[in-house]
Amino acid sequence: MKKLSVLVVDDSKVQRNHVIDMCKNYGMQIVIGATDGEDAIDKLTSCSFDLVFIDLEMPIMDGVELVREIAKKDLAKSVIILSSKDPALILSVGTMAEADGLTVLGTFKKPMTRLYLDASLKRIDNNKNKQTANNVFNTDLGADSLIEAIKNKEISLVYQPKITSKGFLLKGVEALARWQHPTLGNIAPDEFINIAERFGLICELTEYLFDLAFQQKKYWKEHGINCELSLNLSPLSLADKNLANWISNHALQYQLTPREITLEVTENAISGDIPSAIETLAKLRLKGFNLSIDDYGTGFANAQQLARVPATELKLDRSLIDRVATRPQQQAIVRSTINLAKELHLSTVAEGVEDLGDFVFLRDLEVDLVQGYYFAKPMPANMLANWLNYDLTVIRKQFLSKSTD
Ligand code: C2E
Ligand code: CA
């Protein structure tokens, strides 16, 4: 920790020296100041730094521009963002920096304190540990293991209910992939989807999973469970010009109609200028499939970008939902997102509802659907009927009796 080299960028001499002194007292090896963005770029190109403190309000080149330059030119790996402005603004610049590939150790309202510094520097260690763990993981798992896993049917699907916030009716289920590796055990979907994307196997994986899900949906339909089926689509799949036809033909083979199926794509898939993604989404929508914008609140799609996607549903990410009942800043975001969705005629889903208080808050805001551990964890297909007949009935009775008390 003590060997870190640090650049402190702030136009205020007092604030700059305050952070420089703090870092020196911490025992950091090299601590240098820069007076504005341009000065910082000069220093970053001539010398390498482990960590850069960035003040957002500066003359010549402001902190927001500096963050982007650092990310674009790969001038540093980690940053701490500081400002005397609104914490929401600092947070949003932090989110932008993360999306640009920088590690944001902290975003703080000035003045910087020793407590903030401690918390931020701990994250450097955590990130190092995570990277080490990933490296170990990645040497064991590559394209070959994933191809084998698909061939040997080691990857399966579990299903998580999406229920109406008023009335507690089962509206649909989301299919979520699980890989039970014969020697390594459970592998998280984020991990193997990433492998599939990196090794060009996402089409094979998607087709395999859609086939499993469609079979299951057909079975449920024949046995009287008529809920919609939601499936996740990797943003990379959207570049495939044949995807819409393939999904449509495949659904037909299982006698499924498009309106029974929702395709979830992450917000980031639509936040750039991505005509091929929009083209695939438009084709799917024309065929009658429902389209959901997933993980909303983690990316940068603005209202205009949302409006140009032919979506039918907006899914608020669980980071926005988590403890929303007690967090006024999050409440404002959730409230305005739900209002925006309503204006755009999108139905809303709150994902990751774990707590009664959060649920009540969301129901009062008239979110259409809820999904989360509070109601049901993702479950194997053969458990859905039981959950529906027993657990959901209990939930419904509990709430409906409370509302008449
Ligand atoms: P996602 O689409 O945002 O899925 C929701 C994730 O939140 C799931 O994690 C789910 O198990 C988890 N979750 C649901 N309710 C709660 C809750 O109340 N609390 C908490 N803490 N978590 C909750 P999971 O299954 O690990 O999936 C992670 C991500 O992997 C998914 O995020 C999705 O992006 C991706 N993924 C999963 N299955 C597939 C798939 O079949 N295809 C593709 N392309 N991606 C998939
Ligand atoms: Ca999803």
Side-chain angles (χ1 to χ4, degrees):
M1 184 65 65
K2 291 186 176 174
K3 296 212 172 94
L4 289 183
S5 58
V6 177
L7 182 68
V8 181
V9 194
D10 196 320
D11 59 320
S12 146
K13 194 173 174 194
V14 177
Q15 298 280 355
R16 192 170 65 238
N17 286 341
H18 166 69
V19 180
I20 289 177
D21 289 344
M22 196 184 291
C23 291
K24 283 187 175 161
N25 290 338
Y26 212 90
M28 288 173 186
Q29 204 182 29
I30 301 166
V31 189
I32 290 177
T35 50
D36 58 58
E38 278 184 4
D39 188 13
I41 297 282
D42 285 344
K43 288 183 167 133
L44 284 161
T45 28
S46 58
C47 187
S48 103
F49 291 92
D50 301 299
L51 171 62
V52 187
F53 287 81
I54 300 171
D55 172 36
L56 288 187
E57 299 88 20
M58 290 185 297
I60 307 176
M61 178 194 280
D62 66 24
V64 181
E65 214 184 325
L66 177 60
V67 166
R68 300 226 90 173
E69 279 295 302
I70 292 178
K72 202 164 76 189
K73 298 188 175 144
D74 203 11
L75 294 174
K77 287 279 165 270
S78 301
V79 294
I80 291 179
I81 295 168
L82 300 169
S83 168
S84 45
K85 287 259 159 51
D86 182 358
L89 168 75
I90 314 173
L91 190 66
S92 70
V93 176
T95 318
M96 176 198 82
E98 285 270 14
D100 277 346
L102 283 175
T103 298
V104 179
L105 298 179
T107 53
F108 304 110
K109 194 160 175 2
K110 283 181 179 179
M112 184 69 190
T113 66
R114 172 75 189 225
L115 208 67
Y116 292 164
L117 189 59
D118 273 328
S120 306
L121 295 177
K122 265 197 198 112
R123 273 184 217 137
I124 291 192
D125 287 338
N126 286 345
N127 285 345
K128 274 192 192 143
N129 292 342
K130 257 199 224 156
Q131 269 166 12
T132 318
N134 280 343
N135 290 343
V136 170
F137 181 87
N138 286 337
T139 55
D140 287 345
L141 283 177
D144 291 348
S145 353
L146 190 60
I147 292 168
E148 277 294 292
I150 297 175
K151 203 171 84 202
N152 300 335
K153 302 196 177 359
E154 288 162 21
I155 301 179
S156 61
L157 286 170
V158 287
Y159 298 86
Q160 188 178 33
K162 290 160 100 170
I163 63 177
T164 58
S165 67
K166 302 234 162 77
F168 307 97
L169 301 170
L170 177 67
K171 179 78 183 345
V173 287
E174 177 179 3
L176 293 158
R178 296 289 178 264
W179 181 3
Q180 179 69 37
H181 189 280
T183 53
L184 300 171
N186 279 332
I187 294 159
D190 286 327
E191 300 275 9
F192 62 84
I193 302 291
N194 183 283
I195 297 176
E197 287 173 342
R198 279 192 295 133
F199 293 101
L201 293 169
I202 196 66
C203 283
E204 281 88 338
L205 183 62
T206 305
E207 291 187 6
Y208 166 79
L209 292 170
F210 272 50
D211 192 59
L212 277 184
F214 287 177
Q215 268 179 48
Q216 185 57 50
K217 165 78 184 126
K218 180 171 186 257
Y219 175 89
W220 276 325
K221 205 171 162 180
E222 287 166 355
H223 291 78
I225 300 181
N226 274 309
C227 63
E228 291 173 9
L229 171 69
S230 296
L231 289 146
N232 291 285
L233 266 182
S234 155
L236 291 189
S237 307
L238 297 179
D240 176 358
K241 293 228 178 288
N242 295 320
L243 184 81
N245 282 339
W246 184 86
I247 296 179
S248 164
N249 292 337
H250 217 67
L252 205 66
Q253 272 176 33
Y254 287 99
Q255 289 107 46
L256 304 176
T257 55
R259 70 187 151 75
E260 297 173 287
I261 294 162
T262 301
L263 303 163
E264 299 191 1
V265 291
T266 55
E267 178 188 9
N268 278 332
I270 55 131
S271 58
D273 181 22
I274 316 172
S276 58
I278 307 278
E279 182 186 331
T280 300
L281 293 172
K283 279 191 201 159
L284 285 164
R285 187 67 201 119
L286 271 176
K287 290 177 188 295
F289 291 96
N290 303 303
L291 297 179
S292 178
I293 296 167
D294 204 1
D295 300 343
Y296 189 78
T298 55
F300 306 103
N302 56 36
Q304 214 178 0
Q305 283 160 330
L306 270 190
R308 72 177 191 181
V309 176
T312 50
E313 178 181 277
L314 189 73
K315 253 184 126 167
L316 283 84
D317 187 67
R318 62 177 195 265
S319 59
L320 283 181
I321 302 304
D322 183 32
R323 284 168 283 175
V324 66
T326 53
R327 298 184 167 184
Q329 211 177 324
Q330 245 167 274
Q331 291 176 1
I333 301 171
V334 170
R335 190 177 294 114
S336 64
T337 306
I338 292 176
N339 288 337
L340 172 66
K342 283 188 200 301
E343 295 275 327
L344 296 172
H345 306 288
L346 299 172
S347 74
T348 44
V349 186
E351 169 187 89
V353 181
E354 291 187 6
D355 171 275
L356 174 64
D358 292 343
F359 166 67
V360 171
F361 176 81
L362 293 159
R363 189 193 52 190
D364 291 348
L365 287 184
E366 303 196 340
V367 73
D368 298 303
L369 301 177
V370 282
Q371 177 182 354
Y373 293 173
Y374 185 71
F375 299 100
K377 288 198 167 170
M379 62 186 89
N382 61 7
M383 284 174 63
L384 187 71
N386 202 32
W387 177 85
L388 190 56
N389 293 331
Y390 181 70
D391 301 64
L392 187 58
T393 313
V394 172
I395 293 170
R396 199 177 293 136
K397 274 192 190 139
Q398 263 175 6
F399 277 99
L400 299 181
S401 71
K402 259 187 212 147
S403 61
T404 51
D405 284 349

